[in-house]
Amino acid sequence: MTETVPRPTLEAVAALAGVSRATASRVVNGGDGVREPLVERVRRAVEELGYVPNQAARSLVTRRHDAVAVVVAEPETRVFADPFFALQLRGISKELTAHDNQLVLLLTEGRDDHARVGRYLAGGHVDGALVFSLHLDDPLPGLIRRAGVPTVFGGRPGWNDGERGDVVYVDSDNRGGARDAVRHLVGLGRGRVAHITGPLDQTSAADRLDGYRDVMADADPRLIVPGDFTPAGGERAMRTLLDHCPDVDAVFAANDLTAAGALRVLREQGRRVPDDVAVIGFDDMLPVAEQTDPPLTTVRQDIEGMGGLMARLLLRGHGDRVTAQAAGEVAGAGAAEEAGGGPSGVVLPTTLVRRASA
Amino acid sequence: MTETVPRPTLEAVAALAGVSRATASRVVNGGDGVREPLVERVRRAVEELGYVPNQAARSLVTRRHDAVAVVVAEPETRVFADPFFALQLRGISKELTAHDNQLVLLLTEGRDDHARVGRYLAGGHVDGALVFSLHLDDPLPGLIRRAGVPTVFGGRPGWNDGERGDVVYVDSDNRGGARDAVRHLVGLGRGRVAHITGPLDQTSAADRLDGYRDVMADADPRLIVPGDFTPAGGERAMRTLLDHCPDVDAVFAANDLTAAGALRVLREQGRRVPDDVAVIGFDDMLPVAEQTDPPLTTVRQDIEGMGGLMARLLLRGHGDRVTAQAAGEVAGAGAAEEAGGGPSGVVLPTTLVRRASA
């Protein structure tokens, strides 16, 4: 085995220089605001002791970087086009900044780059990772597990490989929210309630479809049309729906962007909303949901809050595995939910927000 | 001085395990696609030799991370609200991915967090940095210089501290583009040409104001109104202009978002564009510039291309200082321009794009 020689500590540097540890740290880390004579004394002490003022070296000892990676398993174009991610990042950024942790957003062009993301995570550059928007066949979870960094997932991961117990996630009650939306449409007297799905290789989309089916168990299968969480996907799906089921009188769209696309097609084809076709979205993403014509009735989830909660969970578990117990404690009573033997999740409630479209 | 013991190499691990270096590397880096018996042999070799499969350790030797930091000196909310940054990041992401380098976007809540960004850059986590949207009194350049990472700036840095020679940047011909815009308005016979500026602590905004003044040397000072590169700033400035100079017949806005705000106020106040007031923007940011009412005449700069060029410059200089000569070579003849004794810049040309607003 390679022998490790104890490295001189920052405390030793501070003691030799006759300054506080904080001052020594500021000089070593290249920060401002230290008077030149003190800077000089610290520099001499660093030299004399052979202190390595390099975080790569230091992190071998402390294994702390005060930095957290955020990985969105989508191409960077999508990350910047969909305000959902900006909102989650806002929640994360506020929380990490409050704890003086650096937010390190790892962007990719697509799934081919995920092995490189895995290498960066394994490379000792961050204390943990927050991972969003996983798709079922994505290699990221395996890469992250091998990288050995504490991780909190945004959204319930969908894989099933016997190692689920290691996983902590924050999610919304997608299935319950979807049920509320569809029940509301049925309560309005609608008999032909359609669903435009999200990408069904993501659990959020699959759970919302399950919620729709909970209420519409005997629905005409042509009323379920695939979408992809984008406005363009919502437009395509709405055209398909109107072609195949011209008597459709309500649509539950898997998210607000999808609903915005569907509303455009309904207007273009002269269908009045909500009179002819009632529409409900999911997210309550502002300003999107308020600016549609008519303003969108939708299922609210606290997107920014989810981001903040993920960051809090990770920071609490710093250097350790994030545990379900900690998750419950951070989230507060009522929100925590543990699936026996499965991943440990904090599932946040949703609420139906009524505007004009349903 | 601390003694350093030579670390066992990956080659030694591969040799002991009886596999190729590539296979050993894949196992050590947590990648997929290696058969389990080989994985096991590599793992045993790693243990036997005491190989440290940790990039933090490795990077002490190689000083290579195959990762590049991007720092936008704006709060993260702005980074996600202004499509300018998304476009630059798109150019950077494509280029870095083509060279299998990880894009590491360091987000902040504001300037108070820049010392932390400096620490991350100094911490041995990236091979270089691309830095945008510097403001004049920002401590970042000093922090970056002390961090010792090769850096390319997006936009000409505005500071003047005798160390300019170390700086390489990519910029557009802001002053020339502004001159073209204002000359076009004068050529249309407009006599009261106003300018809504950008934030004047950024050289891009200051240079565009200089270009306006090159043509309108004797302009009524009330025709110059401050903006901030946002639509809301454009609205405020346009209201001020109409209050103080109701006879204004043309506006050169410092960017397209500003012009979009100005156009909204002109429409709201019943001024026809371009008949009563001609408007020109800067950027040719799509879809913004095409979707304004009327579509916007503007000064085109290749935002995505600038991002890509910055990344190419940095990758070429990997591990070294980026030089003006390399900048010229990468950019190709005609685009390079060196200011004697000042920072070394690659200044890309702009073109006036005529649509309906002027």
Side-chain angles (χ1 to χ4, degrees), chain B residues 225-280:
Chain B
V225 184
D228 59 5
F229 280 162
T230 72
E235 288 184 14
R236 274 193 303 273
M238 194 68 232
R239 280 185 224 286
T240 305
L241 266 175
L242 290 172
D243 278 354
H244 297 174
C245 309
D247 60 342
V248 60
D249 58 10
V251 176
F252 166 50
N255 73 348
D256 290 351
L257 295 180
T258 300
L263 286 172
R264 269 202 292 274
V265 169
L266 287 167
R267 193 168 53 248
E268 171 195 303
Q269 305 216 358
R271 306 281 183 124
R272 290 167 308 162
V273 177
D275 306 48
D276 300 330
V277 183
V279 176
I280 298 188

Side-chain angles (χ1 to χ4, degrees), chain B:
Chain B
M1 289 288 291
T2 303
E3 291 286 311
T4 43
V5 179
R7 295 177 179 281
T9 63
L10 185 61
E11 280 74 10
V13 170
L16 185 64
V19 301
S20 70
R21 189 187 181 286
T23 298
S25 168
R26 219 172 302 139
V27 173
V28 161
N29 288 301
D32 277 277
V34 179
R35 284 183 301 118
E36 196 50 41
L38 295 188
V39 171
E40 204 35 52
R41 267 153 63 189
V42 172
R43 286 205 182 126
R44 267 204 302 272
V46 162
E47 252 187 9
E48 216 162 314
L49 292 172
Y51 179 78
V52 183
N54 178 314
Q55 203 161 328
R58 219 175 323 139
S59 70
L60 282 173
V61 182
T62 67
R63 301 198 163 276
R64 277 292 293 276
H65 309 279
D66 294 325
V68 169
V70 175
V71 182
V72 184
E74 304 280 355
E76 61 86 19
T77 46
R78 184 74 205 289
V79 176
F80 280 89
D82 187 338
F84 186 90
F85 300 115
L87 275 172
Q88 279 192 315
L89 281 164
R90 187 163 309 168
I92 293 168
S93 178
K94 280 183 188 164
E95 195 66 33
L96 292 183
T97 297
H99 292 86
D100 204 19
N101 266 249
Q102 181 57 46
L103 197 172
V104 173
L105 179 59
L106 302 179
L107 292 174
T108 67
E109 292 286 297
R111 203 169 298 186
D112 288 349
D113 304 325
H114 286 180
R116 194 180 61 232
V117 167
R119 284 199 298 276
Y120 198 77
L121 292 176
H125 303 303
V126 293
D127 301 318
L130 302 174
V131 180
F132 295 104
S133 205
L134 278 180
H135 296 255
L136 263 181
D137 53 346
D138 195 306
L140 257 183
L143 293 164
I144 289 168
R145 196 180 306 127
R146 277 186 251 175
V149 288
T151 301
V152 175
F153 290 91
R156 179 170 54 82
W159 69 89
N160 187 353
D161 62 358
E163 301 197 52
R164 284 179 154 209
D166 277 354
V167 168
V168 170
Y169 66 88
V170 173
D171 206 354
S172 287
D173 183 6
N174 290 302
R175 186 166 183 163
R179 271 197 303 260
D180 291 346
V182 179
R183 279 194 194 120
H184 178 71
L185 293 169
V186 171
L188 294 174
R190 306 298 163 123
R192 296 284 282 167
V193 180
H195 178 41
I196 304 176
T197 74
L200 293 171
D201 64 343
Q202 295 193 292
T203 58
S204 57
D207 290 354
R208 290 171 203 176
L209 174 57
D210 284 344
Y212 167 85
R213 284 187 165 135
D214 288 344
V215 184
M216 305 288 293
D218 306 319
D220 179 346
R222 290 174 307 169
L223 287 169
I224 301 173
V225 184
D228 59 5
F229 280 162
T230 72
E235 288 184 14
R236 274 193 303 273
M238 194 68 232
R239 280 185 224 286
T240 305
L241 266 175
L242 290 172
D243 278 354
H244 297 174
C245 309
D247 60 342
V248 60
D249 58 10
V251 176
F252 166 50
N255 73 348
D256 290 351
L257 295 180
T258 300
L263 286 172
R264 269 202 292 274
V265 169
L266 287 167
R267 193 168 53 248
E268 171 195 303
Q269 305 216 358
R271 306 281 183 124
R272 290 167 308 162
V273 177
D275 306 48
D276 300 330
V277 183
V279 176
I280 298 188
F282 201 109
D283 281 343
D284 194 29
M285 187 140 62
L286 301 181
V288 175
E290 286 179 343
Q291 289 180 354
T292 54
D293 178 17
L296 191 65
T297 295
T298 187
V299 179
R300 171 159 219 272
Q301 60 173 338
D302 181 3
I303 304 169
E304 187 176 332
M306 285 172 67
L309 180 56
M310 288 174 67
R312 278 200 299 287
L313 281 173
L314 189 70
L315 292 173
R316 189 184 166 110
H318 240 3
D320 286 320
R321 203 160 71 66
V322 181
T323 65
Q325 197 195 338
E329 286 169 21
V330 172
E337 178 183 283
E338 275 180 58
S344 307
V346 181
V347 180
L348 302 174
T350 61
T351 44
L352 189 69
V353 176
R354 287 205 62 183
R355 294 197 183 88
S357 70

